[in-house]
Amino acid sequence: GQNIDQPTEMTATEGAIVQINCTYQTSGFNGLFWYQQHAGEAPTFLSYNVLDGLEEKGRFSSFLSRSKGYSYLLLKELQMKDSASYLCAVRFRKKLSFGAGTTVTVRA
Amino acid sequence: GAVVSQHPSWVICKSGTSVKIECRSLDFQATTMFWYRQFPKQSLMLMATSNEGSKATYEQGVEKDKFLINHASLTLSTLTVTSAHPEDSSFYICSARGDPKGESSYEQYFGPGTRLTVT
């Protein structure tokens, strides 16, 4: 089975940095994805890690440690529009298994 | 590129009726499509995987006779919720992949979702 854990909620102020952790225990691993999902909308792709290390893309960075079953998504210079749910997903055998999502609220 | 559409975006139906949801890949050929269901404040749960021209593979606990999936072409998959009941009310999201090997980094693209309310 797949077990993917991430915090339920996080709150931060505009301009700050927030780190969303994700731990996973899965029967296999072909990569880890982070998605952003606004309420009532479909997820949009943010990042992908398949090797250990940090992937940086603008204000968003994602880190992976396969030996620890651990990833984090780092959001820098937070903006109000970053208020959303952030989903961690692990791919195995072409299927994605999602965590429950972390709701990030950005306050002025 | 890589746009996936869903229709309808929102539907209300009466208990006992059937509802069909369409998922289309607009600018690429989708060899594989996935159907997810998401309840409020919960994560996406994979319901089934469909490959063009073959029967869908359902996840454990998903009734194949209730959720009929057809992937008749490389750009269209449909999900029919048969004899819908209030507990089927949910957000249904499809996703399409165009790389048959499934090895590219982010080749899975999501549709905008369909909100189903069964009264």
Side-chain angles (χ1 to χ4, degrees):
Chain A
Q2 322 291 24
N3 189 21
I4 301 169
D5 291 318
Q6 49 183 130
T8 305
E9 295 178 327
M10 302 183 75
T11 301
T13 55
E14 206 171 6
I17 299 173
V18 68
Q19 176 174 316
I20 306 170
N21 296 324
C22 172
T23 58
Y24 63 90
Q25 291 177 310
T26 56
S27 49
F29 182 85
N30 292 136
L32 188 141
F33 295 75
W34 284 95
Y35 287 88
Q36 181 191 62
Q37 185 180 27
H38 286 97
E41 298 180 12
T44 54
F45 170 81
L46 288 180
S47 70
Y48 168 73
N49 296 70
V50 66
L51 300 175
D52 291 351
L54 186 68
E55 293 283 341
E56 297 187 84
K57 186 183 292 186
R59 295 189 297 114
F60 296 169
S61 303
S62 58
F63 171 83
L64 175 67
S65 169
R66 288 170 297 170
S67 62
K68 295 181 179 179
Y70 168 72
S71 173
Y72 68 72
L73 178 69
L74 195 69
L75 313 178
K76 293 179 279 189
E77 300 171 19
L78 278 175
Q79 302 175 9
M80 299 299 289
K81 66 178 182 180
D82 296 330
S83 292
S85 181
Y86 292 84
L87 308 176
C88 172
V90 173
R91 183 169 68 184
F92 177 55
R93 291 182 179 170
K94 303 180 184 180
K95 294 181 183 179
L96 286 178
S97 296
F98 285 84
T102 300
T103 300
V104 172
T105 302
V106 181
R107 294 181 174 169
Chain B
V3 177
V4 177
S5 70
Q6 273 184 248
H7 178 80
S9 56
W10 182 58
V11 58
I12 299 175
C13 70
K14 292 186 177 180
S15 186
T17 61
S18 295
V19 174
K20 179 185 283 188
I21 302 169
E22 291 186 351
C23 177
R24 294 181 184 272
S25 56
L26 298 184
D27 51 3
F28 68 103
Q29 293 186 323
T31 51
T32 305
M33 285 187 170
F34 305 88
W35 286 96
Y36 295 86
R37 180 168 53 182
Q38 185 178 35
F39 292 105
K41 298 192 177 182
Q42 295 186 25
S43 190
L44 281 75
M45 296 300 295
L46 180 64
M47 299 174 67
T49 302
S50 73
N51 293 292
E52 185 266 336
S54 61
K55 290 184 178 180
T57 303
Y58 290 80
E59 296 299 299
Q60 192 173 10
V62 178
E63 301 175 58
K64 59 181 65 177
D65 293 332
K66 181 171 182 62
F67 299 98
L68 303 178
I69 292 173
N70 184 289
H71 192 164
S73 76
L74 285 172
T75 59
L76 173 64
S77 176
T78 61
L79 167 68
T80 302
V81 183
T82 63
S83 186
H85 291 283
E87 57 264 31
D88 298 323
S89 298
S90 186
F91 192 49
Y92 292 85
I93 304 174
C94 74
S95 175
R97 185 175 67 217
D99 176 1
K101 293 183 179 180
E103 295 302 333
S104 20
S105 62
Y106 44 89
E107 78 289 352
Q108 192 168 337
Y109 305 98
F110 287 86
T114 297
R115 185 159 301 283
L116 170 64
T117 301
V118 184
T119 61

